[in-house]
Amino acid sequence: MSRTTRRRLLRATGAAGATLGLATTAVTADDWPTGYVSTRNHFDCDGNALEDLDSYETNDVPCFDRGCADELLVHVHGWKNKGEEDAQGAFENAATYLDAGGYDGEVIGWWWDSDCGWDTSKDIAWWNGKKLAQFVRDYRHLHGNDPTVRIMGHSLGVRVALTVPYYFEEAGVEWEAVRSMHLPGGAVPNDWPDHENLQPGLENAFGAVYNYVNREDDILGWYAYEWAEWNDALGRHGSAEGGTCNFQDWDVTDWWGNDHDFETYIEHCNDLIVEDMYRVDEYNEC
């Protein structure tokens, strides 16, 4: 597989490609279960940026490294997924269980510097939202024919996902860039879907956003998240004020106990998540 630099990519796509992020391509290891975008080692654990804030690397990703996919879901892992094995497991679970639920699109992973301290990892998650927003814009540009893009995040990965609308709004994205966003186990404050800085991007650039709530998730309770944040978690309490006109809370507490592990979430929610993908218009009242 050849290595693609941003300069070669811009030359191939012409002037319209000037909005592209600093994307490069590396060879994919044979044992990765899915393609993935990497921003690993873009930040240190003091929160310093070591690479451009729009940059990322792609590995076996449609449109960048091979033929485009008309339907693409990007899964963002949570906190402390620090090594290849952790990230591979998260991405494999996402792909396997969504496929079992009937999803016929392509699943790729988003591998980021989530293994710092809690406060620094929250900051890095925010900046990864900027990178993910740029990736979605780049993907749609390279595809060129209005592909369906979806985002799923788990735990602190929900912070990455919910930062994307902020940067869409900043970039002036006023069309449906992301068809649906799916948020199991969200480790973010539950007022985020109602926040004035996120509302315009959520309403204008997303078809629908689904939040999967487990009110018995101990990690999101006083055992960890609420003790650290002194705040209610989106994944445990649902949205504070109901969210935007295209936001939907689903209480799935009865499906399992107090486990926060991503595999538990996706194993129990996969059918519902896939169903939600295909009924976006029912939950978009904007």
Side-chain angles (χ1 to χ4, degrees), residues 12-43:
T13 56
T19 61
L20 291 173
L22 304 178
T24 60
T25 301
V27 175
T28 303
D30 291 338
D31 56 354
W32 282 85
T34 70
Y36 64 95
V37 181
S38 175
T39 62
R40 287 289 300 172
N41 302 315
H42 284 210
F43 298 88

Side-chain angles (χ1 to χ4, degrees), residues 254-280:
D254 290 343
W255 290 7
W256 66 88
N258 59 5
D259 195 358
H260 182 70
D261 183 74
F262 173 65
E263 184 175 10
T264 304
Y265 269 96
I266 192 65
E267 179 183 5
H268 289 83
C269 287
N270 63 335
D271 290 339
L272 178 58
I273 289 173
V274 175
E275 287 176 11
D276 286 340
M277 292 179 183
Y278 300 109
R279 53 184 181 185
V280 167

Side-chain angles (χ1 to χ4, degrees), residues 137-206:
R137 294 170 65 207
D138 292 350
Y139 185 83
R140 295 185 64 84
H141 169 76
L142 288 173
H143 188 288
N145 193 28
D146 196 26
T148 298
V149 178
R150 307 182 192 275
I151 295 173
M152 181 169 67
H154 169 250
S155 194
L156 193 57
V158 171
R159 193 179 189 93
V160 177
L162 276 177
T163 305
V164 171
Y166 175 87
Y167 287 106
F168 276 166
E169 175 68 14
E170 185 179 71
V173 177
E174 296 182 347
W175 61 91
E176 187 185 282
V178 175
R179 180 62 172 159
S180 62
M181 183 155 64
H182 306 268
L183 309 175
V188 299
N190 72 329
D191 62 354
W192 270 38
D194 309 293
H195 199 284
E196 61 182 5
N197 289 338
L198 300 183
Q199 281 185 335
L202 283 171
E203 293 176 356
N204 294 332
F206 288 78

Side-chain angles (χ1 to χ4, degrees), residues 15-283:
T19 61
L20 291 173
L22 304 178
T24 60
T25 301
V27 175
T28 303
D30 291 338
D31 56 354
W32 282 85
T34 70
Y36 64 95
V37 181
S38 175
T39 62
R40 287 289 300 172
N41 302 315
H42 284 210
F43 298 88
D44 65 25
C45 282
D46 291 323
N48 299 310
L50 306 178
E51 301 286 347
D52 186 276
L53 291 177
D54 286 336
S55 66
Y56 52 82
E57 292 82 50
T58 66
N59 294 268
D60 196 30
V61 171
C63 283
F64 291 87
D65 308 315
R66 51 188 171 85
C68 289
D70 292 337
E71 169 101 22
L72 183 76
L73 180 140
V74 184
H75 172 59
V76 188
H77 66 69
W79 192 37
K80 294 296 186 182
N81 281 233
K82 60 184 178 180
E84 289 191 9
E85 185 176 350
D86 296 322
Q88 288 172 4
F91 304 157
E92 182 174 21
N93 285 331
T96 298
Y97 285 107
L98 289 178
D99 177 73
Y103 181 59
D104 58 4
E106 178 121 16
V107 177
I108 64 170
W110 188 272
W111 189 26
W112 61 287
D113 294 313
S114 68
D115 50 318
C116 297
W118 174 249
D119 287 336
T120 302
S121 293
K122 288 193 300 179
D123 292 341
I124 294 173
W126 177 272
W127 290 116
N128 268 266
K130 178 177 176 64
K131 293 172 183 282
L132 179 51
Q134 185 65 56
F135 169 79
V136 171
R137 294 170 65 207
D138 292 350
Y139 185 83
R140 295 185 64 84
H141 169 76
L142 288 173
H143 188 288
N145 193 28
D146 196 26
T148 298
V149 178
R150 307 182 192 275
I151 295 173
M152 181 169 67
H154 169 250
S155 194
L156 193 57
V158 171
R159 193 179 189 93
V160 177
L162 276 177
T163 305
V164 171
Y166 175 87
Y167 287 106
F168 276 166
E169 175 68 14
E170 185 179 71
V173 177
E174 296 182 347
W175 61 91
E176 187 185 282
V178 175
R179 180 62 172 159
S180 62
M181 183 155 64
H182 306 268
L183 309 175
V188 299
N190 72 329
D191 62 354
W192 270 38
D194 309 293
H195 199 284
E196 61 182 5
N197 289 338
L198 300 183
Q199 281 185 335
L202 283 171
E203 293 176 356
N204 294 332
F206 288 78
V209 181
Y210 302 95
N211 180 46
Y212 305 94
V213 180
N214 178 9
R215 300 188 185 281
E216 296 180 3
D217 185 324
D218 278 353
I219 294 297
L220 296 180
W222 284 106
Y223 180 76
Y225 180 87
E226 292 179 3
W227 177 85
E229 293 288 297
W230 285 86
N231 207 328
D232 290 336
L234 180 65
R236 183 177 169 95
H237 296 274
S239 53
E241 301 295 334
T244 52
C245 47
N246 56 347
F247 188 94
Q248 176 68 35
D249 284 318
W250 284 121
D251 191 330
V252 292
T253 305
D254 290 343
W255 290 7
W256 66 88
N258 59 5
D259 195 358
H260 182 70
D261 183 74
F262 173 65
E263 184 175 10
T264 304
Y265 269 96
I266 192 65
E267 179 183 5
H268 289 83
C269 287
N270 63 335
D271 290 339
L272 178 58
I273 289 173
V274 175
E275 287 176 11
D276 286 340
M277 292 179 183
Y278 300 109
R279 53 184 181 185
V280 167
D281 293 336
E282 296 179 33
Y283 295 98

